[in-house]
Amino acid sequence: MNIILCHTTADFDALGAAVGLTHLHPGSRLVLTGGCHPTVKQFLALHRNEFAIIERRSVNLKQIRSIFIVDVQTRSRLGKTAEWLDLPHLSEIIIYDHHCEIQTDIPATETHIEAVGATTTLITEKLQTLQNQSTPILTPAAATIMALGIHADTGSLTFDHTTPRDATALAWLMQQGASLPVIGEYIQPSLSPQLQELLKTALENLQRSTVRNYQIGSILLETDEYVPSLSSLASSLIELTEIDALLLAHTHSLKNTTEKSLNIIGRSRIPETNLNQLFQPLGGGGHHRAAAVSRRDTNPEATLAKLVDKLKNQIPQPPTARDLMSSPVRTIPPETSIEETHRILLRYNHSGLSVVDSSEKLVGIISRRDIDIALHHGFSHSPVKGYMTPQLKTISPETTLPEIQELMVTYDIGRLPVLENNSLVGIVTRTDVLRELHQQQRPQDQQLGCIPGETCRSITELLQQRLAPQLWQLLNCVAELAEKRGWQLYLIGGGVRDLLLSKFDETLLLTDIDLVVDGYHSDSEEKAPAVELAEALQKIYPTARLEVHGQFQTAALLWHNDPVLDSLWIDIATARTEFYPYPAANPEVEVSSIRQDLYRRDFTINALAARLTKPRAGELLDHFGGLSDLQDKKIRVLHANSFIEDPTRIYRGVRFAVRLGFEIEEKTEEYIRYAINSGVYDREVAGKLEKNRRAPALETRLKSELKYILQAPYWKPALKLLGNLGALRCIHRTLELDRKLWQQVCLMDRCLRRLDSEKKLSHWQMRLEVLIVGLESEYRGLVGKNLQLPVDSIKRLEELELAKVKVMENLPKCETPSQVVWLLREYDLPMLILIIVQCERWMRRRVWQYLTDWVNVKPILNGKDLKAMGYKPGRQFKLMLDDILSATLDGKVSDRYDAEKFLAQYYPRVRE
């Protein structure tokens, strides 16, 4: 027998999931472990006989083989049926739940715990896989109770923990015959007369307090007996009062005891509050924004007061201008022309600029709209001082986000300068505010990890759980150093990406960590913050080697075979922005903010940042949807012109896609093809076909990306994808991965595996050479030089055509193995492999035979043997040994006797 259990106060979600399981596992029986919510009880009064429900007392414990548990993960909420979990003959215990933050104490053999709005959604998805399209698999009653479960736990798809999966499941249940009139009757029932009286009392006695611009309400109601449906009362109360959070407590006396029954319902609209965490120590739970607890208590007033205080402490300090602002601020003097100002705005993609006088005092702001008007009227050479806005609203670094919002709305201001001691230290724009609000509105139940069933809600939690302890300690150390200096520190890029993709049971050993320092910058600082931080960290870790790159405001710490950190590279950069003066050029870099730094990244999955410094440590910065793309396994570029600015990003995108098993997003693929087909990488000089004037550093980056790809285990699918995109034209405009070239690449791979199993050659470089060989001979050496290949590689590419012609002309004339050997021995192995992949099959077999058999044949005799036989040393020794080798290869000599006989016949007069 299969038994299905839910928590002791069954709600619609628990009942709906349980009913769904009886259809997923026919023959299963549902046991209600305790009471039900009042509306659930009313529903069952009419429909109980339509479901496979049995009484607890009628269960034969010896017949139980499997136990399914829905919407609960703790034994204490299963009532007396928790004892069944210890039956020795159970074959399995399976849990279905959507409360990912709960730590289970049930010895489950299998769990299905995912971040959806309702547990019923998980069961519905299982049922959908079994559906025969022509026949519904649920009865209308079952479909209705399951739909009620999703409606109830998602607020009819309005709660912030609702997911698209819930909506899809609900739509399917409607197709199965769920009754909308019944759903409407039970999902929004009117308040009973008793609850209406309590609502009136609650409105008159509600205790309010304001904490950081949020309204907190609390009320303790006392009656003689238990009152059902208090959650409906709480919902009505919070809607009528428009408060941001509510703790509704109800108590009534218990017979024969001094204790009282205490029920508390919590509701919150405040970001970052966690009612589940608040109620768990008291034995309750739920979601971040909705939770409840029931217990016996001797002092309900004190318990409620403590919960209110703890809730207030959960409310975070609102962000200040210091947290939001971009710094340093790009400024211009009042005499700057309209035309030059327009150029600066375009270059940095700004919508406005601050105007400062010779004493660095802020005197105005000029917006893009002001510039456009001036240009329209033909005043391109006029100074901006005639068009700027001089009457300014300014803020201080401590101005809070609500105050900033109010100023922007009241005065319709798009940007607010931040002044400290009358000095311009930053600027907050409308975009900064919108991004912060979007960040705050990320659902608190959203999972950060990307492996189903193995997710966390905090970057700090992920770092602690999955990062190697020595790395976690190092990050804490460098974060403390940044905090002491008033800076913010972020883990960015691949480290965040790999952290979010990591599995719960694996220890993440990052070998390359990128950190960005953002904070208070001023032109008077002698050192970039990143350099200062790296130097301070080296004093704590003196075994690290420090490298400073002042031009780019970066520093790196390197450990090699360290006993604790092994081989590790930490790159610390000052937050910066970049500008490409022309396509495929080196970027010009300037100090900026973390937002601008993330904006210059290549793909959304690499534009994630994790704040490591307090007071907002553990915050995930995701301004471009990178987390969603990680979860959807998509490679999406940040900017439409990204590939035009830097073609190596095409190769990076392909590398990430193949290595991670992701797909390149459709629009991103369009941008790639547009950049390649635009010819932006081609620059003709004097009519020559090879015309690339790209910066040497770009060629270095391109070579680096090619090396990453061609030496990786996944190089074949990556190269295939590059070919399908036409991206090899970034190497040379005529290079295409056609069928012939692909066959040559695969043949090269077989040759390397067979002929160089010990990998004495550079395999990735040989793969690159065979690609270059796909070009006309006149371009090969030049492309090799552009990619800065080694001298021997360039020489081989330049001489290959002559060598191939010579071999192809003379190999057919070779009638004996020795003639083949004398023809081919002047070429090294890499050259012969390149010849093999380009010649005809019969010739290929001869070269292959040379490389696998004949090249290893040695003369039977050596110089010492010749001297022992009485021959006088001299130049003739080489000729004699070569003749013996030829005779051996051609089968005329097979042993020492034959060799001596051969010498006696052909060299009888050269003895001493």
Side-chain angles (χ1 to χ4, degrees), residues 444-515:
Q444 294 301 299
D445 283 348
Q446 180 179 352
Q447 302 301 295
L448 294 183
C450 299
I451 307 298
E454 299 180 350
T455 51
C456 300
R457 289 192 178 81
S458 162
I459 287 293
T460 302
E461 183 181 347
L462 279 172
L463 287 168
Q464 286 178 317
Q465 287 183 357
R466 306 184 186 183
L467 200 63
Q470 63 272 24
L471 295 181
W472 171 237
Q473 181 180 354
L474 188 149
L475 290 181
N476 275 326
C477 178
V478 68
E480 290 176 4
L481 293 173
E483 287 171 5
K484 290 178 181 177
R485 291 162 173 78
W487 300 331
Q488 296 294 330
L489 184 69
Y490 299 87
L491 173 68
I492 63 166
V496 182
R497 179 195 68 230
D498 294 343
L499 181 69
L500 293 170
L501 289 173
S502 64
K503 296 181 180 179
F504 178 77
D505 57 352
E506 73 174 299
T507 298
L508 192 60
L509 294 171
L510 297 176
T511 59
D512 190 352
I513 295 176
D514 290 324
L515 302 175

Side-chain angles (χ1 to χ4, degrees), residues 89-133:
H89 57 273
L90 287 181
S91 61
E92 59 184 357
I93 300 174
I94 301 176
I95 297 176
Y96 288 88
D97 195 14
H98 68 130
H99 300 95
C100 296
E101 67 278 5
I102 302 295
Q103 295 295 321
T104 183
D105 57 2
I106 296 174
T109 56
E110 187 178 328
T111 60
H112 301 272
I113 303 170
E114 299 183 42
V116 291
T119 304
T120 306
T121 296
L122 302 178
I123 309 301
T124 304
E125 290 174 339
K126 295 281 186 182
L127 288 167
Q128 283 179 276
T129 64
L130 305 178
Q131 181 184 13
N132 180 335
Q133 293 185 359

